[in-house]
Amino acid sequence: MEPSGQDANDHGQNSVGDGEHPWEVTDMTRLRRFICYGSEMAIYDTKEHRLGMESALALLSLLQEGRGCEVVEEVKRLALEGRPVRANPSLFALAVCSQHLDLNTRQGAFRALGDVCRDPEHLFTFIQYKKEVKERMRCGIWGRALRKAVSDWYNKQDAMGLALAVTKYKTREGWSHQDLIRLSHAKPANEAIVLISKYIMKGWKEVQGAYADKENSEEVIKVLSYLEAVEKVKHSADEMEVSHLIEEHSLEREQLLTDHLKSKVVWKALLKEMPMESMLRTLGKMTADQVLEPGSSDVAEVCERIQSEAALKKAKLHPFSVLTASENYKRGQGNRGKVKWEPNVDIIKALDSAFYKCFTNVEPAGKRFMVAVDISTSLSSIVKGTSVSTAVAAAAMTMVFARTEAETQVMAYSEGAIVPCTITEGMSLRQVATELVKIPSGYTDCALPILWASEKRITVDMFIIFTNSACWHGEANPAECLRMYRHKMGIFSKLMVCGLTSNGLSIADPAEDRGMLDLCGFDLGAIEVIRNLALDLI
């Protein structure tokens, strides 16, 4: 799609007035980065690193300035809007706030617990972070406020949802539901929660004895029936019985024994209501275990689900998610190489079809983008942590922007040459990849797209550069070129450099400019980081 020639002032929210510095990096900027992806630096790494006080200096600075309530509100707001690409940084920040000396900050953190901790895994992680930071914060853990917050977390859950949660996520981070209920002195708010608490603390036999002769409410009867099914599965070696229980009670994979997952019958029962993302992750294993045999009705049903626009929309799958699943499946073996399979042609075709259908799931940011792809020999390598080649990944993301953003200019560049590319809606992934490779390969020069836009006076809100190199190899520094472009065009343009196989980039200016960010590797989290930067959320 061709870029608009309209003046920068038409997108007034990005305009830069005299004397204004919208690119300034503040402690709140660093906090948002931390909440979003776990680092205060302008670098997103697909490899997640362990969190500690040394990685949250802006958070500590804001608390020291007496802005703890602001921090809590920001953690809560971003969590409710679904902005963080990782859950742990939000949980860590909330844990630190809950240990702070300021009463209002602590109270706010505990009130936000239910909004930030969506499942038991989050709750366990939050408690573990509190334990880890207690010595630095010089305070205890299990005070009255935490006991009430944990008790409230259990009491505010839907009874059937809680029954699923406590049997699916039994322990995490060294904590169990028994630990939390015991330490919080939880007082169940209704009979169904009383039942689940008794099940957690005393076990199924105690529950059977306590409720066998009672006249129970409809909700309690439902929970009893569900927990009975979970217990039967744990002690059954009969694949037909297990299959029946899965279908009748919608049991999930995590509630089964390892031996159950050796059965085709059990896998077929799980498959009927398996969430789309889980199904895509296990296509290889199901093919390897001959659950999905060529020409079978099971393969036909799976292919129909994969291509269902309604199912894809419900799962909110991004095209890159489907592409990753497809490339992993085509590879014919798991990450460790132990599980191997012969990829099914029909499943591959269904995944290809789903890739194109998922473009409707992408919500436009409504910005003016320039997507520039570095054409060099490095594009024959593999994106870090995936089975996707860098050429295919760059082509796929180029398609995403060209198809979903009304104002997108696509460029291919290499060593002094830059070529506009026309990406139409009817083009296939292979055709887009071919279109991008128009010019001879050479050295990387990440400044070229910015210099070209400046020379042509093309207004760009955000430059997105896909490359493999941490260096720009040109005479001009991309960060300096961006600043000159902003000054010339009068607009706060941003720069995102995606090092598809890089272990470290150094183009962005993490200290002085919040409009620049580097990506090391590429995954679904990177896509959300790009969107958050484009929308000025980090």
Side-chain angles (χ1 to χ4, degrees), residues 275-281 305-306 308-309 311-323 325 351 354-355 357-362 524:
M276 179 71 81
E277 286 190 77
S278 299
M279 185 176 72
L280 294 183
R281 282 197 303 269
R305 277 192 66 191
I306 290 173
S308 166
E309 292 184 7
L312 292 170
K313 186 174 183 179
K314 181 181 179 182
K316 299 179 181 178
L317 287 180
H318 191 279
F320 192 79
S321 179
V322 178
L323 176 65
L351 288 167
F355 169 75
K357 290 180 179 180
C358 281
F359 281 97
T360 58
N361 291 344
V362 180
L524 286 174

Side-chain angles (χ1 to χ4, degrees), residues 296-360:
S296 68
S297 60
D298 296 304
V299 168
E301 288 176 15
V302 164
C303 290
E304 184 178 352
R305 277 192 66 191
I306 290 173
Q307 297 176 85
S308 166
E309 292 184 7
L312 292 170
K313 186 174 183 179
K314 181 181 179 182
K316 299 179 181 178
L317 287 180
H318 191 279
F320 192 79
S321 179
V322 178
L323 176 65
T324 302
S326 178
E327 295 299 311
N328 288 340
Y329 184 73
K330 290 175 187 176
R331 186 182 174 207
Q333 65 179 39
N335 291 333
R336 297 179 182 177
K338 292 182 179 179
V339 180
K340 297 184 179 181
W341 61 87
E342 183 66 34
N344 185 291
V345 175
D346 291 332
I347 292 175
I348 291 173
K349 288 180 180 177
L351 288 167
D352 288 343
S353 173
F355 169 75
Y356 296 104
K357 290 180 179 180
C358 281
F359 281 97
T360 58

Side-chain angles (χ1 to χ4, degrees), residues 258-439:
T258 302
D259 284 345
H260 293 153
L261 300 177
K262 297 175 183 177
S263 166
K264 292 184 186 179
V265 174
V266 169
W267 271 108
K268 288 180 180 181
L270 285 171
L271 195 54
K272 291 182 179 178
E273 291 193 31
M274 187 180 290
M276 179 71 81
E277 286 190 77
S278 299
M279 185 176 72
L280 294 183
R281 282 197 303 269
T282 54
L283 285 173
K285 179 167 176 56
M286 288 191 288
T287 303
D289 292 346
Q290 297 182 324
V291 176
L292 300 176
E293 298 185 84
S296 68
S297 60
D298 296 304
V299 168
E301 288 176 15
V302 164
C303 290
E304 184 178 352
R305 277 192 66 191
I306 290 173
Q307 297 176 85
S308 166
E309 292 184 7
L312 292 170
K313 186 174 183 179
K314 181 181 179 182
K316 299 179 181 178
L317 287 180
H318 191 279
F320 192 79
S321 179
V322 178
L323 176 65
T324 302
S326 178
E327 295 299 311
N328 288 340
Y329 184 73
K330 290 175 187 176
R331 186 182 174 207
Q333 65 179 39
N335 291 333
R336 297 179 182 177
K338 292 182 179 179
V339 180
K340 297 184 179 181
W341 61 87
E342 183 66 34
N344 185 291
V345 175
D346 291 332
I347 292 175
I348 291 173
K349 288 180 180 177
L351 288 167
D352 288 343
S353 173
F355 169 75
Y356 296 104
K357 290 180 179 180
C358 281
F359 281 97
T360 58
N361 291 344
V362 180
E363 184 180 352
K367 302 294 182 180
R368 296 164 292 198
F369 291 94
M370 176 174 286
V371 182
V373 180
D374 167 24
I375 304 302
S376 65
T377 53
S378 59
L379 282 179
S380 62
S381 52
I382 302 297
V383 176
K384 187 174 68 171
T386 76
S387 300
V388 184
S389 75
T390 49
V392 170
M397 289 310 300
T398 297
M399 291 176 70
V400 169
F401 284 97
R403 287 194 179 197
T404 62
E405 299 291 348
E407 298 181 69
T408 297
Q409 171 74 61
V410 177
M411 313 295 295
Y413 74 93
S414 177
E415 196 179 8
I418 184 161
V419 179
C421 301
T422 302
I423 309 298
T424 62
E425 189 167 337
M427 292 174 70
S428 68
L429 182 59
R430 183 186 295 273
Q431 288 172 327
V432 172
T434 302
E435 173 69 14
L436 290 174
V437 188
K438 276 187 168 183
I439 55 180

Side-chain angles (χ1 to χ4, degrees), residues 441-454:
S441 62
Y443 292 113
T444 297
D445 186 352
C446 291
L448 280 177
I450 305 169
L451 293 171
W452 187 87
S454 181

Side-chain angles (χ1 to χ4, degrees), residues 230-246:
V230 171
E231 289 297 314
K232 280 184 178 179
V233 161
K234 283 165 38 176
H235 299 92
S236 178
D238 184 338
E239 64 179 12
M240 295 307 297
E241 180 182 34
V242 172
S243 172
H244 174 73
L245 290 168
I246 290 169

